[in-house]
Short mmCIF file of all heavy atoms in Angstrom, two decimals:
data_model
loop_
_atom_site.label_atom_id
_atom_site.label_comp_id
_atom_site.label_asym_id
_atom_site.label_seq_id
_atom_site.Cartn_x
_atom_site.Cartn_y
_atom_site.Cartn_z
N MET S 1 0.83 -1.19 0.00
CA MET S 1 0.00 0.00 0.00
C MET S 1 0.87 1.24 0.00
O MET S 1 1.92 1.27 0.65
CB MET S 1 -0.89 -0.01 1.25
CG MET S 1 -2.23 0.60 1.01
SD MET S 1 -3.35 0.31 2.39
CE MET S 1 -2.91 1.63 3.48
N ALA S 2 0.45 2.23 -0.75
CA ALA S 2 1.23 3.48 -0.81
C ALA S 2 1.22 4.19 0.53
O ALA S 2 0.19 4.23 1.22
CB ALA S 2 0.64 4.38 -1.88
N LEU S 3 2.36 4.71 0.88
CA LEU S 3 2.45 5.46 2.14
C LEU S 3 2.85 6.89 1.84
O LEU S 3 3.60 7.15 0.89
CB LEU S 3 3.51 4.81 3.05
CG LEU S 3 3.11 3.48 3.66
CD1 LEU S 3 4.30 2.84 4.33
CD2 LEU S 3 1.98 3.68 4.64
N PRO S 4 2.37 7.82 2.64
CA PRO S 4 2.76 9.21 2.42
C PRO S 4 4.25 9.42 2.70
O PRO S 4 4.79 8.88 3.66
CB PRO S 4 1.87 9.98 3.40
CG PRO S 4 1.44 9.00 4.40
CD PRO S 4 1.43 7.66 3.74
N LYS S 5 4.90 10.18 1.83
CA LYS S 5 6.34 10.39 1.98
C LYS S 5 6.64 11.30 3.17
O LYS S 5 7.64 11.12 3.85
CB LYS S 5 6.89 11.02 0.71
CG LYS S 5 8.41 11.05 0.65
CD LYS S 5 8.89 11.42 -0.73
CE LYS S 5 10.40 11.31 -0.80
NZ LYS S 5 10.91 11.61 -2.14
N ARG S 6 5.78 12.31 3.33
CA ARG S 6 6.01 13.26 4.42
C ARG S 6 4.74 13.42 5.26
O ARG S 6 3.64 13.23 4.76
CB ARG S 6 6.39 14.64 3.86
CG ARG S 6 7.72 14.64 3.17
CD ARG S 6 8.14 16.03 2.77
NE ARG S 6 9.22 15.98 1.79
CZ ARG S 6 10.48 15.63 2.10
NH1 ARG S 6 10.81 15.32 3.32
NH2 ARG S 6 11.39 15.62 1.15
N GLN S 7 4.98 13.83 6.48
CA GLN S 7 3.84 14.14 7.35
C GLN S 7 3.16 15.40 6.84
O GLN S 7 3.83 16.37 6.46
CB GLN S 7 4.36 14.38 8.77
CG GLN S 7 3.26 14.62 9.76
CD GLN S 7 3.82 14.78 11.17
OE1 GLN S 7 4.99 15.08 11.35
NE2 GLN S 7 2.98 14.58 12.15
N HIS S 8 1.81 15.39 6.83
CA HIS S 8 1.08 16.59 6.43
C HIS S 8 1.27 17.67 7.48
O HIS S 8 1.28 17.39 8.68
CB HIS S 8 -0.41 16.28 6.31
CG HIS S 8 -0.78 15.64 5.02
ND1 HIS S 8 -2.08 15.33 4.71
CD2 HIS S 8 -0.03 15.27 3.97
CE1 HIS S 8 -2.10 14.78 3.50
NE2 HIS S 8 -0.88 14.73 3.04
N SER S 9 1.39 18.89 7.01
CA SER S 9 1.51 20.00 7.96
C SER S 9 0.18 20.22 8.67
O SER S 9 -0.87 19.80 8.19
CB SER S 9 1.89 21.28 7.22
OG SER S 9 0.83 21.67 6.37
N ARG S 10 0.24 20.85 9.83
CA ARG S 10 -0.99 21.16 10.55
C ARG S 10 -1.87 22.09 9.71
O ARG S 10 -3.09 21.99 9.71
CB ARG S 10 -0.67 21.82 11.89
CG ARG S 10 -0.51 20.80 13.00
CD ARG S 10 0.18 21.38 14.19
NE ARG S 10 1.62 21.41 13.92
CZ ARG S 10 2.54 21.85 14.77
NH1 ARG S 10 2.18 22.32 15.93
NH2 ARG S 10 3.81 21.84 14.46
N GLN S 11 -1.23 23.01 8.98
CA GLN S 11 -2.02 23.91 8.14
C GLN S 11 -2.80 23.13 7.09
O GLN S 11 -3.98 23.40 6.85
CB GLN S 11 -1.09 24.90 7.45
CG GLN S 11 -1.84 25.93 6.61
CD GLN S 11 -0.92 26.81 5.80
OE1 GLN S 11 0.21 26.41 5.48
NE2 GLN S 11 -1.36 28.00 5.50
N ARG S 12 -2.14 22.15 6.50
CA ARG S 12 -2.79 21.37 5.45
C ARG S 12 -3.99 20.61 6.01
O ARG S 12 -5.08 20.59 5.41
CB ARG S 12 -1.78 20.41 4.85
CG ARG S 12 -2.27 19.76 3.57
CD ARG S 12 -1.25 18.80 3.05
NE ARG S 12 -1.93 17.86 2.18
CZ ARG S 12 -1.49 17.49 0.98
NH1 ARG S 12 -0.36 17.96 0.53
NH2 ARG S 12 -2.17 16.65 0.26
N SER S 13 -3.82 19.98 7.18
CA SER S 13 -4.93 19.25 7.79
C SER S 13 -6.06 20.21 8.15
O SER S 13 -7.23 19.91 7.93
CB SER S 13 -4.47 18.56 9.06
OG SER S 13 -3.38 17.73 8.79
N ARG S 14 -5.69 21.35 8.71
CA ARG S 14 -6.72 22.30 9.14
C ARG S 14 -7.45 22.90 7.95
O ARG S 14 -8.66 23.16 8.03
CB ARG S 14 -6.07 23.40 10.00
CG ARG S 14 -5.70 22.89 11.36
CD ARG S 14 -4.82 23.85 12.10
NE ARG S 14 -4.41 23.27 13.38
CZ ARG S 14 -3.55 23.84 14.21
NH1 ARG S 14 -2.98 25.01 13.91
NH2 ARG S 14 -3.23 23.27 15.33
N LYS S 15 -6.73 23.12 6.85
CA LYS S 15 -7.40 23.65 5.65
C LYS S 15 -8.43 22.65 5.14
O LYS S 15 -9.52 23.01 4.72
CB LYS S 15 -6.37 23.94 4.55
CG LYS S 15 -5.72 25.28 4.68
CD LYS S 15 -5.06 25.72 3.38
CE LYS S 15 -3.89 24.85 3.01
NZ LYS S 15 -3.13 25.39 1.87
N ARG S 16 -8.07 21.37 5.19
CA ARG S 16 -9.03 20.35 4.76
C ARG S 16 -10.24 20.34 5.67
O ARG S 16 -11.38 20.21 5.22
CB ARG S 16 -8.33 18.99 4.76
CG ARG S 16 -9.25 17.81 4.51
CD ARG S 16 -8.48 16.53 4.21
NE ARG S 16 -7.30 16.36 5.01
CZ ARG S 16 -7.28 15.78 6.22
NH1 ARG S 16 -8.40 15.36 6.76
NH2 ARG S 16 -6.15 15.64 6.88
N ARG S 17 -9.99 20.50 6.98
CA ARG S 17 -11.09 20.39 7.94
C ARG S 17 -11.97 21.64 7.99
O ARG S 17 -12.97 21.64 8.70
CB ARG S 17 -10.52 20.11 9.33
CG ARG S 17 -9.98 18.69 9.41
CD ARG S 17 -9.30 18.43 10.71
NE ARG S 17 -8.56 17.17 10.63
CZ ARG S 17 -7.55 16.85 11.42
NH1 ARG S 17 -7.17 17.68 12.38
NH2 ARG S 17 -6.93 15.72 11.29
N THR S 18 -11.60 22.71 7.27
CA THR S 18 -12.49 23.88 7.26
C THR S 18 -13.83 23.55 6.64
O THR S 18 -14.81 24.26 6.84
CB THR S 18 -11.88 25.05 6.47
OG1 THR S 18 -11.64 24.63 5.14
CG2 THR S 18 -10.62 25.57 7.12
N HIS S 19 -13.89 22.45 5.87
CA HIS S 19 -15.16 22.08 5.24
C HIS S 19 -16.03 21.22 6.15
O HIS S 19 -17.14 20.88 5.77
CB HIS S 19 -14.90 21.35 3.92
CG HIS S 19 -14.13 22.19 2.94
ND1 HIS S 19 -14.73 23.20 2.22
CD2 HIS S 19 -12.83 22.22 2.62
CE1 HIS S 19 -13.80 23.79 1.47
NE2 HIS S 19 -12.63 23.21 1.71
N TRP S 20 -15.50 20.85 7.32
CA TRP S 20 -16.31 20.08 8.27
C TRP S 20 -17.18 21.06 9.03
O TRP S 20 -16.71 21.72 9.95
CB TRP S 20 -15.43 19.33 9.26
CG TRP S 20 -14.56 18.26 8.68
CD1 TRP S 20 -14.36 17.98 7.36
CD2 TRP S 20 -13.77 17.33 9.43
NE1 TRP S 20 -13.48 16.93 7.23
CE2 TRP S 20 -13.09 16.51 8.49
CE3 TRP S 20 -13.56 17.12 10.78
CZ2 TRP S 20 -12.24 15.51 8.88
CZ3 TRP S 20 -12.70 16.12 11.15
CH2 TRP S 20 -12.05 15.32 10.21
N LYS S 21 -18.42 21.13 8.67
CA LYS S 21 -19.30 22.11 9.32
C LYS S 21 -20.60 21.45 9.74
O LYS S 21 -21.07 20.51 9.10
CB LYS S 21 -19.62 23.26 8.36
CG LYS S 21 -18.44 24.15 8.08
CD LYS S 21 -18.71 25.04 6.90
CE LYS S 21 -17.42 25.73 6.50
NZ LYS S 21 -17.55 26.38 5.20
N LEU S 22 -21.17 21.99 10.78
CA LEU S 22 -22.51 21.60 11.18
C LEU S 22 -23.49 22.51 10.45
O LEU S 22 -23.20 23.68 10.23
CB LEU S 22 -22.71 21.77 12.69
CG LEU S 22 -22.00 20.79 13.60
CD1 LEU S 22 -22.20 21.21 15.03
CD2 LEU S 22 -22.49 19.39 13.37
N ARG S 23 -24.61 21.94 10.08
CA ARG S 23 -25.62 22.81 9.49
C ARG S 23 -26.95 22.61 10.22
O ARG S 23 -27.20 21.54 10.78
CB ARG S 23 -25.78 22.57 7.98
CG ARG S 23 -26.34 21.21 7.63
CD ARG S 23 -26.53 21.06 6.14
NE ARG S 23 -27.14 19.76 5.88
CZ ARG S 23 -28.43 19.53 5.92
NH1 ARG S 23 -29.27 20.50 6.20
NH2 ARG S 23 -28.90 18.33 5.67
N VAL S 24 -27.74 23.64 10.17
CA VAL S 24 -29.03 23.59 10.84
C VAL S 24 -29.96 22.71 10.03
O VAL S 24 -30.01 22.82 8.79
CB VAL S 24 -29.61 25.01 10.98
CG1 VAL S 24 -30.99 24.97 11.60
CG2 VAL S 24 -28.69 25.87 11.79
N ALA S 25 -30.66 21.79 10.71
CA ALA S 25 -31.58 20.90 10.02
C ALA S 25 -32.76 21.69 9.47
O ALA S 25 -33.16 22.70 10.05
CB ALA S 25 -32.08 19.84 10.99
N ASN S 26 -33.29 21.22 8.35
CA ASN S 26 -34.47 21.87 7.76
C ASN S 26 -35.73 21.32 8.41
O ASN S 26 -35.88 20.11 8.57
CB ASN S 26 -34.52 21.60 6.26
CG ASN S 26 -33.44 22.35 5.53
OD1 ASN S 26 -33.18 23.51 5.85
ND2 ASN S 26 -32.79 21.71 4.59
N PHE S 27 -36.59 22.21 8.78
CA PHE S 27 -37.83 21.80 9.42
C PHE S 27 -39.02 22.13 8.53
O PHE S 27 -39.02 23.15 7.85
CB PHE S 27 -38.01 22.52 10.76
CG PHE S 27 -37.07 22.02 11.81
CD1 PHE S 27 -35.95 22.74 12.16
CD2 PHE S 27 -37.30 20.81 12.44
CE1 PHE S 27 -35.08 22.27 13.13
CE2 PHE S 27 -36.45 20.34 13.41
CZ PHE S 27 -35.34 21.07 13.75
N SER S 28 -40.00 21.24 8.55
CA SER S 28 -41.29 21.58 7.97
C SER S 28 -42.28 21.64 9.13
O SER S 28 -41.91 21.40 10.28
CB SER S 28 -41.71 20.53 6.93
OG SER S 28 -41.76 19.26 7.52
N HIS S 29 -43.53 21.94 8.83
CA HIS S 29 -44.50 22.09 9.91
C HIS S 29 -45.54 20.99 9.85
O HIS S 29 -46.01 20.64 8.77
CB HIS S 29 -45.15 23.47 9.86
CG HIS S 29 -44.18 24.55 10.20
ND1 HIS S 29 -43.98 24.99 11.48
CD2 HIS S 29 -43.31 25.24 9.43
CE1 HIS S 29 -43.05 25.91 11.48
NE2 HIS S 29 -42.61 26.09 10.26
N CYS S 30 -45.88 20.46 11.00
CA CYS S 30 -46.90 19.43 11.09
C CYS S 30 -48.25 20.01 10.69
O CYS S 30 -48.65 21.04 11.23
CB CYS S 30 -46.96 18.89 12.52
SG CYS S 30 -48.28 17.72 12.80
N PRO S 31 -48.96 19.38 9.75
CA PRO S 31 -50.28 19.93 9.36
C PRO S 31 -51.31 19.78 10.47
O PRO S 31 -52.33 20.46 10.46
CB PRO S 31 -50.67 19.10 8.13
CG PRO S 31 -49.85 17.87 8.23
CD PRO S 31 -48.60 18.22 8.96
N GLN S 32 -51.05 18.87 11.41
CA GLN S 32 -52.00 18.63 12.50
C GLN S 32 -51.85 19.66 13.63
O GLN S 32 -52.81 20.30 14.01
CB GLN S 32 -51.78 17.22 13.04
CG GLN S 32 -52.92 16.69 13.88
CD GLN S 32 -54.12 16.35 13.03
OE1 GLN S 32 -54.00 16.11 11.84
NE2 GLN S 32 -55.29 16.36 13.64
N CYS S 33 -50.62 19.80 14.14
CA CYS S 33 -50.43 20.67 15.31
C CYS S 33 -49.58 21.89 15.00
O CYS S 33 -49.36 22.71 15.90
CB CYS S 33 -49.81 19.87 16.45
SG CYS S 33 -48.16 19.25 16.10
N LYS S 34 -49.11 22.02 13.75
CA LYS S 34 -48.38 23.20 13.26
C LYS S 34 -47.01 23.40 13.92
O LYS S 34 -46.42 24.46 13.77
CB LYS S 34 -49.20 24.49 13.45
CG LYS S 34 -50.66 24.41 13.06
CD LYS S 34 -50.85 24.24 11.59
CE LYS S 34 -52.33 24.22 11.24
NZ LYS S 34 -52.56 23.67 9.91
N LYS S 35 -46.54 22.37 14.60
CA LYS S 35 -45.23 22.52 15.22
C LYS S 35 -44.14 22.13 14.23
O LYS S 35 -44.38 21.35 13.31
CB LYS S 35 -45.15 21.65 16.48
CG LYS S 35 -45.90 22.26 17.63
CD LYS S 35 -45.80 21.41 18.87
CE LYS S 35 -46.56 22.09 20.00
NZ LYS S 35 -46.71 21.23 21.17
N PRO S 36 -42.93 22.67 14.38
CA PRO S 36 -41.86 22.31 13.45
C PRO S 36 -41.41 20.86 13.66
O PRO S 36 -41.14 20.45 14.79
CB PRO S 36 -40.73 23.29 13.81
CG PRO S 36 -41.02 23.73 15.18
CD PRO S 36 -42.52 23.67 15.36
N ILE S 37 -41.37 20.10 12.57
CA ILE S 37 -40.99 18.69 12.64
C ILE S 37 -39.97 18.38 11.55
O ILE S 37 -39.86 19.11 10.56
CB ILE S 37 -42.20 17.74 12.49
CG1 ILE S 37 -42.99 18.07 11.21
CG2 ILE S 37 -43.11 17.81 13.70
CD1 ILE S 37 -43.93 16.99 10.80
N ILE S 38 -39.26 17.27 11.70
CA ILE S 38 -38.38 16.78 10.65
C ILE S 38 -39.27 16.12 9.61
O ILE S 38 -40.15 15.33 9.95
CB ILE S 38 -37.38 15.78 11.23
CG1 ILE S 38 -36.60 16.39 12.40
CG2 ILE S 38 -36.41 15.31 10.16
CD1 ILE S 38 -35.81 15.38 13.18
N SER S 39 -39.05 16.42 8.33
CA SER S 39 -39.92 15.88 7.29
C SER S 39 -39.72 14.37 7.14
O SER S 39 -38.65 13.84 7.45
CB SER S 39 -39.65 16.58 5.95
OG SER S 39 -38.28 16.51 5.64
N HIS S 40 -40.73 13.70 6.66
CA HIS S 40 -40.77 12.24 6.46
C HIS S 40 -40.63 11.48 7.77
O HIS S 40 -40.14 10.35 7.79
CB HIS S 40 -39.70 11.78 5.47
CG HIS S 40 -39.75 12.51 4.16
ND1 HIS S 40 -40.73 12.32 3.24
CD2 HIS S 40 -38.94 13.47 3.66
CE1 HIS S 40 -40.52 13.12 2.22
NE2 HIS S 40 -39.46 13.83 2.45
N ARG S 41 -41.03 12.10 8.88
CA ARG S 41 -41.02 11.42 10.18
C ARG S 41 -42.39 11.63 10.85
O ARG S 41 -43.07 12.62 10.56
CB ARG S 41 -39.97 12.00 11.12
CG ARG S 41 -38.56 12.01 10.61
CD ARG S 41 -37.96 10.61 10.62
NE ARG S 41 -36.52 10.65 10.50
CZ ARG S 41 -35.86 10.91 9.37
NH1 ARG S 41 -36.53 11.18 8.27
NH2 ARG S 41 -34.55 10.91 9.33
N VAL S 42 -42.76 10.70 11.71
CA VAL S 42 -43.98 10.88 12.50
C VAL S 42 -43.76 12.08 13.42
O VAL S 42 -42.68 12.24 13.99
CB VAL S 42 -44.29 9.61 13.30
CG1 VAL S 42 -45.44 9.84 14.26
CG2 VAL S 42 -44.61 8.46 12.38
N CYS S 43 -44.79 12.90 13.56
CA CYS S 43 -44.69 14.08 14.41
C CYS S 43 -44.50 13.64 15.87
O CYS S 43 -45.31 12.87 16.39
CB CYS S 43 -45.95 14.92 14.27
SG CYS S 43 -45.99 16.31 15.39
N PRO S 44 -43.44 14.09 16.53
CA PRO S 44 -43.23 13.68 17.93
C PRO S 44 -44.17 14.36 18.91
O PRO S 44 -44.23 13.97 20.07
CB PRO S 44 -41.77 14.08 18.19
CG PRO S 44 -41.52 15.19 17.24
CD PRO S 44 -42.37 14.95 16.04
N PHE S 45 -44.90 15.37 18.45
CA PHE S 45 -45.77 16.11 19.37
C PHE S 45 -47.19 15.54 19.38
O PHE S 45 -47.82 15.47 20.43
CB PHE S 45 -45.81 17.59 18.99
CG PHE S 45 -44.46 18.23 19.00
CD1 PHE S 45 -43.78 18.46 17.82
CD2 PHE S 45 -43.86 18.58 20.20
CE1 PHE S 45 -42.51 19.04 17.83
CE2 PHE S 45 -42.60 19.16 20.22
CZ PHE S 45 -41.93 19.38 19.03
N CYS S 46 -47.71 15.15 18.21
CA CYS S 46 -49.09 14.66 18.17
C CYS S 46 -49.19 13.23 17.62
O CYS S 46 -50.26 12.64 17.64
CB CYS S 46 -49.96 15.60 17.36
SG CYS S 46 -49.51 15.71 15.63
N GLY S 47 -48.07 12.66 17.09
CA GLY S 47 -48.09 11.27 16.63
C GLY S 47 -48.76 11.08 15.29
O GLY S 47 -49.11 9.96 14.94
N HIS S 48 -48.95 12.14 14.51
CA HIS S 48 -49.61 12.03 13.22
C HIS S 48 -48.58 11.96 12.10
O HIS S 48 -47.48 12.50 12.21
CB HIS S 48 -50.53 13.23 12.98
CG HIS S 48 -51.84 13.10 13.66
ND1 HIS S 48 -51.97 13.05 15.03
CD2 HIS S 48 -53.11 13.02 13.16
CE1 HIS S 48 -53.25 12.94 15.35
NE2 HIS S 48 -53.96 12.92 14.24
N TYR S 49 -48.95 11.28 11.03
CA TYR S 49 -48.15 11.30 9.82
C TYR S 49 -49.09 11.30 8.63
O TYR S 49 -50.02 10.49 8.57
CB TYR S 49 -47.22 10.08 9.76
CG TYR S 49 -46.27 10.12 8.60
CD1 TYR S 49 -45.23 11.05 8.55
CD2 TYR S 49 -46.43 9.25 7.53
CE1 TYR S 49 -44.36 11.11 7.49
CE2 TYR S 49 -45.55 9.30 6.45
CZ TYR S 49 -44.53 10.23 6.44
OH TYR S 49 -43.66 10.28 5.38
N LYS S 50 -48.90 12.20 7.70
CA LYS S 50 -49.77 12.38 6.53
C LYS S 50 -51.23 12.53 6.94
O LYS S 50 -52.13 11.95 6.33
CB LYS S 50 -49.60 11.21 5.54
CG LYS S 50 -48.30 11.26 4.76
CD LYS S 50 -48.28 10.23 3.66
CE LYS S 50 -47.06 10.42 2.79
NZ LYS S 50 -47.02 9.42 1.71
N GLY S 51 -51.46 13.24 8.04
CA GLY S 51 -52.81 13.53 8.50
C GLY S 51 -53.49 12.39 9.23
O GLY S 51 -54.66 12.49 9.56
N LYS S 52 -52.78 11.26 9.42
CA LYS S 52 -53.37 10.13 10.13
C LYS S 52 -52.66 9.90 11.45
O LYS S 52 -51.44 10.05 11.52
CB LYS S 52 -53.25 8.85 9.28
CG LYS S 52 -54.11 8.86 8.04
CD LYS S 52 -53.82 7.61 7.22
CE LYS S 52 -54.53 7.69 5.87
NZ LYS S 52 -54.10 6.59 4.99
N PRO S 53 -53.40 9.50 12.48
CA PRO S 53 -52.73 9.18 13.74
C PRO S 53 -51.98 7.85 13.63
O PRO S 53 -52.58 6.83 13.28
CB PRO S 53 -53.89 9.09 14.75
CG PRO S 53 -55.09 8.80 13.93
CD PRO S 53 -54.86 9.42 12.57
N ILE S 54 -50.69 7.87 13.85
CA ILE S 54 -49.86 6.67 13.69
C ILE S 54 -49.54 6.07 15.06
O ILE S 54 -49.68 4.87 15.27
CB ILE S 54 -48.56 7.02 12.94
CG1 ILE S 54 -48.86 7.65 11.58
CG2 ILE S 54 -47.69 5.78 12.76
CD1 ILE S 54 -49.57 6.76 10.60
N ILE S 55 -49.08 6.90 15.97
CA ILE S 55 -48.73 6.39 17.29
C ILE S 55 -49.49 7.19 18.34
O ILE S 55 -49.77 8.38 18.14
CB ILE S 55 -47.21 6.47 17.57
CG1 ILE S 55 -46.67 7.86 17.25
CG2 ILE S 55 -46.46 5.41 16.77
CD1 ILE S 55 -45.24 8.07 17.67
N GLU S 56 -49.84 6.49 19.40
CA GLU S 56 -50.47 7.19 20.53
C GLU S 56 -49.39 7.67 21.47
O GLU S 56 -48.51 6.91 21.87
CB GLU S 56 -51.42 6.24 21.26
CG GLU S 56 -52.83 6.28 20.70
CD GLU S 56 -53.79 5.50 21.58
OE1 GLU S 56 -53.60 5.50 22.79
OE2 GLU S 56 -54.72 4.91 21.02
N LEU S 57 -49.47 8.93 21.80
CA LEU S 57 -48.47 9.50 22.70
C LEU S 57 -49.04 9.57 24.10
O LEU S 57 -50.19 9.96 24.30
CB LEU S 57 -48.05 10.89 22.23
CG LEU S 57 -47.34 10.94 20.88
CD1 LEU S 57 -47.13 12.37 20.46
CD2 LEU S 57 -46.02 10.21 20.94
N LYS S 58 -48.20 9.14 25.05
CA LYS S 58 -48.63 9.24 26.43
C LYS S 58 -48.62 10.70 26.86
O LYS S 58 -47.79 11.48 26.39
CB LYS S 58 -47.69 8.44 27.33
CG LYS S 58 -47.85 6.95 27.16
CD LYS S 58 -46.82 6.20 27.98
CE LYS S 58 -46.92 4.71 27.70
NZ LYS S 58 -45.82 3.97 28.34
N ALA S 59 -49.52 11.05 27.76
CA ALA S 59 -49.56 12.41 28.28
C ALA S 59 -48.27 12.70 29.02
O ALA S 59 -47.65 11.81 29.60
CB ALA S 59 -50.75 12.58 29.20
N LYS S 60 -47.86 13.95 28.95
CA LYS S 60 -46.60 14.33 29.59
C LYS S 60 -46.67 14.09 31.09
O LYS S 60 -47.68 14.38 31.74
CB LYS S 60 -46.30 15.81 29.34
CG LYS S 60 -45.69 16.05 27.97
CD LYS S 60 -45.29 17.49 27.82
CE LYS S 60 -44.67 17.75 26.46
NZ LYS S 60 -44.31 19.16 26.29
N LYS S 61 -45.56 13.53 31.60
CA LYS S 61 -45.49 13.29 33.03
C LYS S 61 -45.41 14.61 33.79
O LYS S 61 -44.67 15.51 33.39
CB LYS S 61 -44.26 12.44 33.35
CG LYS S 61 -44.39 11.01 32.88
CD LYS S 61 -43.11 10.23 33.13
CE LYS S 61 -43.21 8.84 32.53
NZ LYS S 61 -41.92 8.14 32.63
N GLU S 62 -46.17 14.65 34.86
CA GLU S 62 -46.12 15.87 35.68
C GLU S 62 -44.81 15.91 36.46
O GLU S 62 -44.22 14.88 36.78
CB GLU S 62 -47.31 15.89 36.67
CG GLU S 62 -48.63 16.15 35.94
CD GLU S 62 -49.79 16.20 36.92
OE1 GLU S 62 -49.55 16.43 38.11
OE2 GLU S 62 -50.92 15.98 36.48
N LYS S 63 -44.36 17.13 36.71
CA LYS S 63 -43.10 17.28 37.41
C LYS S 63 -43.19 16.71 38.83
O LYS S 63 -44.23 16.80 39.49
CB LYS S 63 -42.71 18.76 37.49
CG LYS S 63 -42.22 19.29 36.16
CD LYS S 63 -41.79 20.74 36.29
CE LYS S 63 -41.31 21.28 34.95
NZ LYS S 63 -40.95 22.71 35.05
N LYS S 64 -42.08 16.12 39.21
CA LYS S 64 -42.03 15.49 40.53
C LYS S 64 -42.16 16.54 41.63
O LYS S 64 -41.47 17.56 41.61
CB LYS S 64 -40.72 14.72 40.70
CG LYS S 64 -40.68 13.47 39.84
CD LYS S 64 -39.34 12.77 39.96
CE LYS S 64 -39.28 11.58 39.02
NZ LYS S 64 -37.92 10.99 39.02
N LYS S 65 -43.05 16.24 42.55
CA LYS S 65 -43.24 17.16 43.68
C LYS S 65 -43.08 16.38 44.97
O LYS S 65 -44.02 16.22 45.75
CB LYS S 65 -44.62 17.81 43.62
CG LYS S 65 -44.75 18.82 42.49
CD LYS S 65 -46.14 19.41 42.44
CE LYS S 65 -46.27 20.39 41.30
NZ LYS S 65 -47.64 20.91 41.19
N LYS S 66 -41.87 15.82 45.15
CA LYS S 66 -41.64 15.02 46.33
C LYS S 66 -41.19 15.85 47.53
O LYS S 66 -41.37 15.48 48.68
CB LYS S 66 -40.59 13.95 46.05
CG LYS S 66 -41.18 12.78 45.25
CD LYS S 66 -40.21 11.64 45.10
CE LYS S 66 -40.85 10.48 44.36
NZ LYS S 66 -39.88 9.38 44.17
N LYS S 67 -40.56 17.00 47.21
CA LYS S 67 -40.06 17.81 48.32
C LYS S 67 -41.23 18.48 49.05
O LYS S 67 -42.12 19.03 48.41
CB LYS S 67 -39.08 18.87 47.82
CG LYS S 67 -37.72 18.30 47.44
CD LYS S 67 -36.79 19.36 46.96
CE LYS S 67 -35.45 18.74 46.56
NZ LYS S 67 -34.54 19.75 46.00
N PRO S 68 -41.24 18.42 50.36
CA PRO S 68 -42.32 19.03 51.14
C PRO S 68 -42.25 20.56 51.13
O PRO S 68 -41.23 21.12 50.91
CB PRO S 68 -42.13 18.50 52.56
CG PRO S 68 -40.68 18.17 52.65
CD PRO S 68 -40.23 17.80 51.26
ZN1 ZN V 101 -48.08 17.24 15.01
#
């Protein structure tokens, strides 16, 4: 297997890595509850997909009130 003749400089590695970027995900809106959702996924807020209920979501748990 071919091996590199010289070690790459830090500048060279860093220049290559300038293209490693995070990007903001694109959101669409749920037609049922109008909340922003990832497209082609079941809505995590109301459980609907393409206007049909797919999964039943449990009601949100109430905050713990154990402290007197
Ligand atoms: Zn929804």
